[in-house]
Amino acid sequence: MAWRFAVGSISHETNSFSPIKTELAHFKDRGYFKGEAILTEFTGTRTPIGGFIDFAEETDSVLVPVISASAVPSGIVSKEAYLQLKEELLQGIKSAGEIDGVLLALHGAMVADGFPDAEGDILTSVRQIVGSGVPVVATLDFHATVTDVMVEKANGLFGYNTYPHVDGYERGLEAGRFAAKVLRKEINPVNVVIRPPLAPAVVPARTGWGPIKELMEQSFEFEKEPGVLNVSVYGGFVYSDVYDAGLAFLATTDGDRARAQNIAERLTQKAWALRHSFVADMKKPQDAVKYAMSKDKGPVILADVADNTGGGASGDGTEILQALIEHNAQDAVVITMPDKEAVDAAFKAGVGGNFDALVGGKFDDLHGAPVRVQGTVRLLSDGSFVHRGPMSTGVKSSIGRSAVIQCGGIDIIVNERRSQPVDPEVARSVGIDPTFKKIVVVKSAVHYRAAYEPIASEIIEVDGPGLSSPNLSRFEFKNIRRPVFPIDEDMKISR
């Protein structure tokens, strides 16, 4: 039987501490598509919408694409931008005619001015349009803040099982198949979410290591049991600073609420027992650079985890760059440094021209002071590339106009747009293969690992300043529930 599904996406990971207010222009600058352009853009990609598309093909269903809008993680989304995007989604669903279901690719950690639970508000509004009898199913990022409203208004929520996020496609496919089972009346889904008082930083909460790995493995065992439809572990996004931010466990069973409750409770108890394992082992910038220089073999990856644009940081932090210059590092590359003024200076100088300008530290005063860089413009580029790594495979992207500045033994990629350089294709698109570099600086918290771990001789997480720092004592939390670990001192679990 063929069905008609409305498909849409509004996605943003909001860092409430960022001074960069997120406007509509930020969505349109990164990824804003409407109607059939969505299918053109995402067909064949390893994304949730790519999964929706293949689900439709395997069930001979029709997709009615509405809107897909995403912006680079940054500060709170303006009320005007949020309401316009939501209205475009809702009007598109209303105009879709008779539909059998709604498939949404959401993030889960979007905070808009006046809407601390933006995804809950979106799902509530969608439910009001389609009524209680139409399945509404969504994929969520691993870093979603899963609220009671979200769980109540959606038939199913499917969070990424991986961080780095390499399974968006699989979760999209799973969400579609789940919706089909609801339509066939093969299942009667019941959802239960528990949010323990745990809100770890993102760096020690990656899925291939440590406590989250153990929790994920336990959730997969639960999913093998008859009648268990889905068990999602969510790392949360503590930097959103909303009441419900933090870990969450969502269990979906076929009509058995008590069983779903038991599964979520058991995961909660396990997480609490593991709470002291959520620790990041980091080196200071100066120590990290000297250590990397002492190694015989590269590439040594220096992960600037606190300056992760994917977590809302500026991306133009300068402390590692300053250390590289001071120690006269050789065979090094910095990927990347968003700085439009530096890009303008490079394009004015031209390839082979002299470059002498202050670089970085310009978005705010939280990521280090601007650094004077003297060198040569080695290459100019429009910054376009296609993701070839494990994340977002096949998706076209751009870091904006870019230049490679050669400063002694250091190549610095300066570019116009804030973006998380998780794919080595960013560097390869400007003629640099990080596989053959001694030292590689990447502005990323965890996502870089998917593509860089296979080529790295060693990975060092660097404790620089920034709005995605694992050191949560650096932040003044105002809205998150208290007490919560590790922000507060050790505490007994409350229910």
Side-chain angles (χ1 to χ4, degrees):
M1 179 179 180
W3 298 291
R4 283 171 51 85
F5 289 92
V7 171
S9 176
I10 303 174
S11 179
H12 186 256
E13 185 176 70
T14 304
N15 188 319
S16 300
F17 301 99
S18 170
I20 304 173
K21 193 164 189 177
T22 308
E23 302 289 356
L24 186 63
H26 292 97
F27 287 90
K28 293 191 173 182
D29 188 48
R30 186 196 193 191
Y32 176 85
F33 307 97
K34 296 190 71 173
E36 293 298 318
I38 297 172
L39 302 184
T40 301
E41 186 70 19
F42 291 101
T43 294
T45 64
R46 306 265 323 154
T47 61
I49 294 180
F52 296 161
I53 292 169
D54 283 0
F55 155 73
E57 184 175 343
E58 75 176 24
T59 56
D60 197 27
S61 296
V62 175
L63 298 184
V64 184
V66 178
I67 182 176
S68 176
S70 66
V72 173
S74 45
I76 290 176
V77 179
S78 73
K79 186 174 185 178
E80 295 75 18
Y82 171 68
L83 290 178
Q84 180 167 334
L85 291 172
K86 185 179 79 166
E87 183 63 18
E88 290 181 16
L89 173 68
L90 300 180
Q91 286 299 324
I93 293 174
K94 290 177 182 178
S95 302
E98 186 173 344
I99 57 173
D100 299 292
V102 179
L103 299 175
L104 300 174
L106 304 176
H107 186 283
M110 178 164 59
V111 181
D113 188 9
F115 299 88
D117 179 16
E119 283 83 1
D121 179 63
I122 289 171
L123 289 166
T124 298
S125 300
V126 170
R127 181 61 73 192
Q128 289 172 346
I129 292 173
V130 302
S132 60
V134 173
V136 176
V137 184
T139 61
L140 295 177
D141 192 279
F142 170 74
H143 295 110
T145 297
V146 184
T147 66
D148 291 341
V149 173
M150 292 164 63
V151 173
E152 176 190 350
K153 298 303 180 182
N155 295 81
L157 298 170
F158 292 83
Y160 298 165
N161 291 332
T162 58
Y163 180 38
H165 308 326
V166 296
D167 64 335
Y169 170 84
E170 285 79 6
R171 300 290 74 77
L173 199 58
E174 184 179 14
R177 291 170 176 170
F178 176 89
K181 290 180 180 179
V182 173
L183 287 169
R184 296 190 192 107
K185 302 190 183 303
E186 295 175 359
I187 56 174
N188 175 32
V190 173
N191 299 295
V192 171
V193 64
I194 294 181
R195 294 174 296 273
L198 291 165
V202 299
V203 171
R206 65 181 192 266
T207 57
W209 167 91
I212 290 293
K213 184 174 187 285
E214 291 189 43
L215 292 164
M216 280 290 181
E217 288 173 347
Q218 181 65 67
S219 74
F220 298 152
E221 290 301 312
F222 284 132
E223 288 182 331
K224 294 176 182 178
E225 298 177 3
V228 178
L229 305 176
N230 177 54
V231 180
S232 289
V233 175
Y234 293 93
F237 191 64
V238 65
Y239 311 101
S240 287
D241 191 25
V242 293
Y243 184 82
D244 286 324
L247 287 180
F249 303 105
L250 175 62
T252 305
T253 59
D254 189 4
D256 192 340
R257 181 170 296 277
R259 192 174 187 187
Q261 181 78 26
N262 178 260
I263 290 171
E265 286 181 353
R266 288 169 64 183
L267 286 168
T268 293
Q269 292 163 2
K270 188 177 184 69
W272 186 253
L274 293 169
R275 65 192 182 281
H276 291 293
S277 300
F278 288 96
V279 177
D281 183 17
M282 300 180 290
K283 289 182 181 292
K284 296 296 183 183
Q286 293 283 340
D287 294 336
V289 168
K290 287 189 287 186
Y291 177 83
M293 292 175 63
S294 73
K295 307 304 287 185
D296 294 327
K297 182 182 178 182
V300 178
I301 309 298
L302 300 184
D304 196 353
V305 296
D307 191 28
N308 169 32
T309 55
S314 69
D316 71 340
T318 57
E319 287 204 2
I320 300 178
L321 172 61
Q322 181 69 54
L324 290 171
I325 294 174
E326 287 179 2
H327 294 288
N328 192 28
Q330 298 297 306
D331 201 17
V333 59
V334 177
I335 315 171
T336 59
M337 188 71 74
D339 186 332
K340 188 177 184 303
E341 291 179 4
V343 172
D344 288 342
F347 271 77
K348 183 177 181 180
V351 174
N354 293 327
F355 182 91
D356 187 348
L358 293 175
V359 172
K362 297 173 184 175
F363 281 101
D364 52 48
D365 58 359
L366 304 171
H367 296 79
V371 172
R372 185 180 182 186
V373 173
Q374 295 175 295
T376 304
V377 179
R378 195 166 67 77
L379 182 142
L380 301 173
S381 168
D382 67 359
S384 299
F385 68 99
V386 177
H387 285 271
R388 304 295 186 194
M391 286 188 63
S392 303
T393 310
V395 173
K396 299 175 184 176
S397 191
S398 174
I399 58 173
R401 287 189 314 155
S402 309
V404 176
I405 309 301
Q406 188 170 8
C407 174
I410 309 162
D411 285 333
I412 308 163
I413 303 173
V414 295
N415 63 297
E416 290 182 311
R417 297 179 180 174
R418 292 173 58 251
S419 58
Q420 185 179 184
V422 300
D423 196 323
E425 291 302 315
V426 172
R428 290 175 183 141
S429 71
V430 292
I432 298 171
D433 190 339
T435 305
F436 303 103
K437 285 289 186 178
K438 173 72 177 298
I439 302 172
V440 178
V441 179
V442 179
K443 303 298 189 81
S444 177
V446 173
H447 282 326
Y448 71 95
R449 287 180 175 270
Y452 279 92
E453 277 187 346
I455 67 173
S457 65
E458 192 170 353
I459 291 176
I460 305 298
E461 293 171 341
V462 185
D463 185 21
L467 291 179
S468 61
S469 171
N471 185 353
L472 299 183
S473 65
R474 294 180 176 179
F475 300 88
E476 185 179 350
F477 291 92
K478 297 180 179 179
N479 302 307
I480 197 170
R481 59 203 152 131
R482 307 295 285 268
V484 64
F485 185 86
I487 296 172
D488 297 302
E489 295 181 1
D490 204 352
M491 40 186 266
K492 292 182 179 180
I493 191 166
S494 58
R495 296 179 188 270

